[in-house]
Amino acid sequence: MRIERLADLKPVHQRQAAVLALWRWRAPILAFELDAEWGVDQSVLESLFRLAASPAGEQSDLAYRRAIAELCTTPLFTSEVDPDTVQLLQLETISNLLAFGELLDKPGVDDVERVVEASAGLANYLDGLVEGSFYSHPAEEAHRQYLADLADRANEGYFASRHFAVETACPGDVPPSAVAGDECPHQSEAVSPRSYDHGMSDAFTVLWTHDTCRALRKAGRVGERPPVAFSGAHSSLPAWSGARAGDEVYALHVNRCVVYVVSRMRVIDMERRDCCGTVPMRWQDPAFPGHGDWSMLGAGGCSATAVHVDATPVRFDMPIPGDLLARLTWRNRRGQTRGLKYVADGRLERSVSLQGFYRLTSESADDLAVVVSNTMP
């Protein structure tokens, strides 16, 4: 059975939906040893999964918070990490366990959505790795047959499709220890991820970090139009999921609690072209030598792919008015909407709600278009 919207669920079932998203990564993260320098005991992670899947209650929630506190004292949280593929999966899963802990402190559909979407991003990342691999997997044929039987989701990879199946399952299908409370509400059909598609271009936002914007300034790119951006698979370089030719992407930057539009980019295509340069033959070769001038936008990021764009010049003097900041809304693939958290007196105190690649509602897309048009020379 499937659910239509997380917002339609009771809080206990919203929590179970988050557990479903987390539980899929328990076996992968525990199957490989953690880097000894991180100082993380696997038993702590195992206990976090177990406690998350326990019936909701003051005792289990307190135990989860204590385990999180223990985890946060490890060297992992005070050192710089340059992860390989397995470590990236481990780190992203740990980050999602932390996000679940925040959900316990302030239950709400936004935090549940954050956990679910992060899990979906990992699934897409794994599909990208499989697609780009030169090696055959023993289950490759079985995966291909599974996808062949999914006529409505044939354009997605195996892991993304399996994640969608879990995500839209009745939350009552959580591991037996997690099932508690009232009977789970359900719908006989899931909303199609394109059920809200209105035939027009969409608009998205992506957050450019301080490091990215500092590199743009240092390289003298202010006032220039980027011909390319990069989609990835990490929280610092998110996948441009759902974007297509003709869509607009607003690159945002937060500085001293003020949100700026750095550039508005219209997607031309998401394919590797001759302008990208020679395909690297060795791991140390630049991934997109033809776009070296704009490599700070993520060319060297994990699973980076080029997105060719028609963009406005890079600038750092285009603030989003405070009153508009409080009204901005985004919508997910199920049509749910959300606003920004941590907005006070027209200032964004924490940027966590902007970290990622998110689709704007049509009203907010129009509002940002006005901001850009009113401040362009």
Side-chain angles (χ1 to χ4, degrees):
M1 309 303 286
R2 297 181 173 182
I3 61 172
E4 182 173 355
R5 294 183 177 181
L6 284 172
D8 292 337
L9 297 176
K10 297 178 181 179
V12 63
H13 296 130
Q14 290 179 357
R15 172 171 170 153
Q16 289 176 2
V19 174
L20 275 171
L22 276 175
W23 195 262
R24 295 193 65 247
W25 305 107
R26 173 181 172 274
I29 194 175
L30 298 176
F32 298 92
E33 290 188 6
L34 301 171
D35 190 321
E37 294 183 358
W38 294 359
V40 177
D41 191 329
Q42 279 192 317
S43 64
V44 175
L45 299 182
E46 170 64 28
S47 69
L48 286 171
F49 281 107
R50 177 176 50 79
L51 290 167
S54 299
E58 183 177 345
Q59 185 174 355
S60 61
D61 288 356
L62 178 60
Y64 193 97
R65 293 187 183 97
R66 286 175 175 168
I68 286 291
E70 179 182 349
L71 175 64
C72 290
T73 63
T74 62
L76 171 63
F77 290 85
T78 57
S79 60
E80 293 186 3
V81 178
D82 184 17
D84 58 25
T85 300
V86 173
Q87 291 172 338
L88 177 63
L89 173 66
Q90 293 170 332
L91 290 172
E92 289 295 304
T93 303
I94 290 173
S95 176
N96 224 13
L97 288 167
L98 295 175
F100 187 83
E102 294 181 11
L103 187 156
L104 300 184
D105 293 328
K106 292 181 113 178
V109 69
D110 287 344
D111 290 312
V112 173
E113 182 72 19
R114 180 181 167 194
V115 172
V116 171
E117 290 295 338
S119 182
L122 274 180
N124 285 319
Y125 169 59
L126 288 179
D127 282 328
L129 289 179
V130 172
E131 184 177 352
S133 174
F134 293 104
Y135 301 95
S136 296
H137 187 277
E140 185 174 336
E141 185 58 37
H143 290 182
R144 189 178 293 113
Q145 184 58 50
Y146 176 86
L147 291 172
D149 294 337
L150 299 177
D152 59 333
R153 303 187 64 80
N155 62 330
E156 292 193 352
Y158 172 78
F159 292 103
S161 297
R162 289 300 298 265
H163 179 273
F164 182 81
V166 172
E167 179 185 340
T168 54
C170 172
D173 293 335
V174 179
S177 61
V179 179
D182 301 328
E183 181 181 357
C184 171
H186 59 266
Q187 298 290 337
S188 60
E189 295 293 337
V191 173
S192 166
R194 300 193 182 277
S195 62
Y196 49 73
D197 191 348
H198 42 65
M200 301 171 60
S201 62
D202 287 327
F204 300 79
T205 61
V206 64
L207 184 68
W208 282 358
T209 65
H210 285 288
D211 288 343
T212 295
C213 293
R214 189 180 301 115
L216 286 168
R217 290 190 180 97
K218 184 176 180 180
R221 298 291 167 253
V222 177
E224 297 184 10
R225 298 173 182 267
V228 68
F230 297 93
S231 170
H234 189 266
S235 57
S236 61
L237 184 66
W240 288 30
S241 302
R244 54 189 176 180
D247 288 344
E248 294 184 336
V249 179
Y250 290 86
L252 306 181
H253 176 57
V254 182
N255 187 20
R256 297 182 179 179
C257 301
V258 178
V259 183
Y260 296 87
V261 177
V262 182
S263 179
R264 179 179 64 190
M265 302 172 285
R266 181 170 288 107
V267 177
I268 298 174
D269 64 51
M270 304 179 74
E271 300 176 358
R272 189 181 185 101
R273 303 194 315 207
D274 291 343
C275 61
C276 295
T278 306
V279 176
M281 302 300 295
R282 300 172 300 172
W283 68 266
Q284 62 265 44
D285 294 337
F288 300 93
H291 294 305
D293 289 347
W294 297 94
S295 60
M296 72 286 288
L297 297 184
C302 185
S303 295
T305 57
V307 182
H308 296 98
V309 297
D310 177 17
T312 61
V314 170
R315 53 189 298 182
F316 295 98
D317 60 351
M318 199 187 308
I320 298 176
D323 60 334
L324 173 56
L325 198 62
R327 300 197 315 267
L328 287 178
T329 52
W330 289 259
R331 59 186 174 90
N332 62 21
R333 60 184 178 180
R334 290 180 298 279
Q336 295 172 266
T337 61
R338 69 167 178 87
L340 277 179
K341 300 176 67 174
Y342 309 112
V343 176
D345 299 323
R347 297 167 63 82
L348 186 63
E349 297 179 340
R350 294 178 59 187
S351 61
V352 63
S353 297
L354 287 177
Q355 294 172 4
F357 186 82
Y358 301 115
R359 188 190 312 265
L360 288 159
T361 61
S362 58
E363 295 81 7
S364 291
D366 292 341
D367 288 336
L368 283 186
V370 171
V371 171
V372 173
S373 61
N374 286 347
T375 54
M376 289 294 291

